[in-house]
Amino acid sequence: MEQEYVKLRATSPDGATANITELCRSITWSGDWRNAARTLSYAPVICQDDTHLPRAPTGLGGSVRFWRGGDLLMDAYALERTRDSLGKTIDVTAYDKGLYLTRNSTFLRVEGQTAEAVTAMVCGQFGIPVGALAATGVPITRNFMGAPLYKIIMTMYTLAADQTGKKYRIRFRGASLEVVEMAQSPESVILAPGSNLLSCVTKESASSMINSVAIYDDGYNLVKKQEDSAAVALYGLMQTAIRSGAYDDPEGHAAQVLKENGLKTTITANALGDLRLITGSTVVVHEPVTGTDGLFWILSDTHTWTRNIYQTKLTLSLEAVMDSQTAGSEGKK
């Protein structure tokens, strides 16, 4: 698929601005399902002796905007900068506004409000633009004491997910926060050797498995235990304990914990660059050597442009994964 051009414009805190795309030896745009913010790393060339070389705004606190054609992919702020006395570049890392979801915390009492309503409210309080928010319609009561905004939002959606059976993720479209329901992409990209798939590595792991969930009441009494008996017999007991009163449907939550923490199969794929391959989307892979064949979810993506060579590295999973959070405490109903 032929891609439209990408453009990187940086603006320093004093207002100086420039299109620095051609000055950058490399540009990396990446995201991960566990991180609220996407990052943009770039390395503009600098030379004090060349007066004809344009100056790239690299001041910390400056804004950075990244486009594909006319679509704004990222509206970010430069917050890290590295300069090597022997090098000819300045390495800069910028973060989108997802960073402010993790760097700001608040006290909040939620009484019968939905996840989408609370998300809009807290973002409004901290000046974070909001776009489309997945509607859950599930009223929740909960108290948050000094919790980061990201944990508040994801806790609300985690509690709603226990009832809707759906999964949700946060992302930013340009400068605006969105919460979307995780669903199969309508037109998943197909990766195959000889076409656009450069390499594929598969890994299986039971090191972080949970194969038993013990449900306790408020009196520390065991109410029920749910487990994957076959996994317990093969790998040994790996149990987590939960309090029944913390969930509207503790048995349903236990079943979800078992489902999401079984044997992990992770696939790492390197492909020709494609901006449709982003975290939370689905991709179809056909790779005969490792036996990787089917539909997978993208857990992380790294897009790199180096000297006009554009490649994408993906971490894939057989299951859709939501960053479940349980911040705060159960409020009185």
Side-chain angles (χ1 to χ4, degrees):
M1 177 182 178
E2 184 178 352
Q3 296 285 348
E4 296 181 81
Y5 70 90
V6 294
K7 180 176 68 173
L8 185 62
R9 176 169 288 277
T11 302
S12 66
D14 63 8
T17 185
N19 180 345
I20 64 171
T21 313
E22 298 302 323
L23 291 176
C24 294
R25 288 184 175 177
S26 65
I27 299 173
T28 300
W29 181 57
S30 60
D32 185 284
W33 71 278
R34 294 159 296 191
N35 295 334
R38 288 188 69 86
T39 60
L40 184 68
S41 300
Y42 51 98
V45 176
I46 54 97
C47 182
Q48 301 296 337
D49 300 326
D50 188 348
T51 58
H52 299 289
L53 186 69
R55 294 289 185 263
T58 60
L60 294 187
S63 64
V64 185
R65 309 191 92 196
F66 186 51
W67 282 272
R68 177 189 63 178
D71 296 328
L72 179 63
L73 297 177
M74 189 169 179
D75 187 3
Y77 295 94
L79 297 178
E80 296 180 12
R81 181 174 62 174
T82 303
R83 175 76 187 277
D84 187 333
S85 63
L86 300 178
K88 297 296 183 182
T89 64
I90 296 179
D91 298 326
V92 182
T93 301
Y95 297 80
D96 71 15
K97 292 184 178 180
L99 177 71
Y100 299 107
L101 296 179
T102 61
R103 301 301 298 161
N104 288 286
S105 61
T106 189
F107 281 63
L108 182 66
R109 176 177 294 172
V110 177
E111 297 182 350
Q113 295 173 274
T114 63
E116 53 271 30
V118 170
T119 299
M121 179 179 65
V122 297
C123 287
Q125 291 175 351
F126 286 84
I128 298 172
V130 171
L133 300 176
T136 65
V138 177
I140 294 169
T141 297
R142 199 163 184 87
N143 298 323
F144 297 96
M145 301 182 69
L149 306 187
Y150 177 75
K151 286 185 175 291
I152 291 174
I153 294 170
M154 290 309 301
T155 295
M156 293 294 293
Y157 271 99
T158 297
L159 295 174
D162 287 340
Q163 296 190 44
T164 66
K166 300 176 180 179
K167 296 181 180 180
Y168 307 92
R169 69 183 179 96
I170 285 177
R171 68 182 182 190
F172 276 78
R173 185 180 297 275
S176 298
L177 176 143
E178 293 183 340
V179 180
V180 298
E181 178 187 338
M182 298 183 69
Q184 180 178 337
S185 305
E187 294 183 2
S188 299
V189 176
I190 299 175
L191 299 181
S195 174
N196 54 0
L197 181 62
L198 303 176
S199 65
C200 184
V201 177
T202 63
K203 176 183 178 181
E204 293 179 299
S205 175
S207 61
S208 59
M209 172 181 287
I210 295 175
N211 53 31
S212 177
V213 180
I215 304 173
Y216 288 84
D217 62 21
D218 290 338
Y220 302 94
N221 301 304
L222 179 64
V223 176
K224 188 173 184 178
K225 182 183 291 188
Q226 291 185 214
E227 64 180 27
D228 181 341
S229 56
V232 171
L234 183 59
Y235 302 107
L237 181 65
M238 301 179 186
Q239 179 175 288
T240 190
I242 65 172
R243 183 171 63 87
S244 60
Y247 305 94
D248 291 324
D249 180 12
E251 293 184 15
H253 178 76
Q256 190 67 25
V257 169
L258 291 176
K259 179 180 178 182
E260 294 181 353
N261 294 277
L263 180 67
K264 298 291 185 183
T265 301
T266 303
I267 300 97
T268 302
N270 288 285
L272 297 180
D274 192 322
L275 286 168
R276 295 173 296 174
L277 299 172
I278 61 172
T279 298
S281 297
T282 52
V283 62
V284 175
V285 182
H286 300 301
E287 203 293 304
V289 175
T290 60
T292 305
D293 189 85
L295 180 76
F296 299 89
W297 291 84
I298 301 176
L299 297 182
S300 68
D301 64 277
T302 302
H303 298 255
T304 304
W305 292 260
T306 305
R307 299 185 184 279
N308 295 321
I309 297 176
Y310 173 32
Q311 295 186 3
T312 301
K313 181 178 180 179
L314 305 172
T315 302
L316 307 175
S317 171
L318 289 165
E319 297 286 340
V321 180
M322 177 179 173
D323 188 14
S324 299
Q325 298 286 337
T326 54
S329 59
E330 186 178 13
K332 294 181 180 180
K333 296 181 181 179

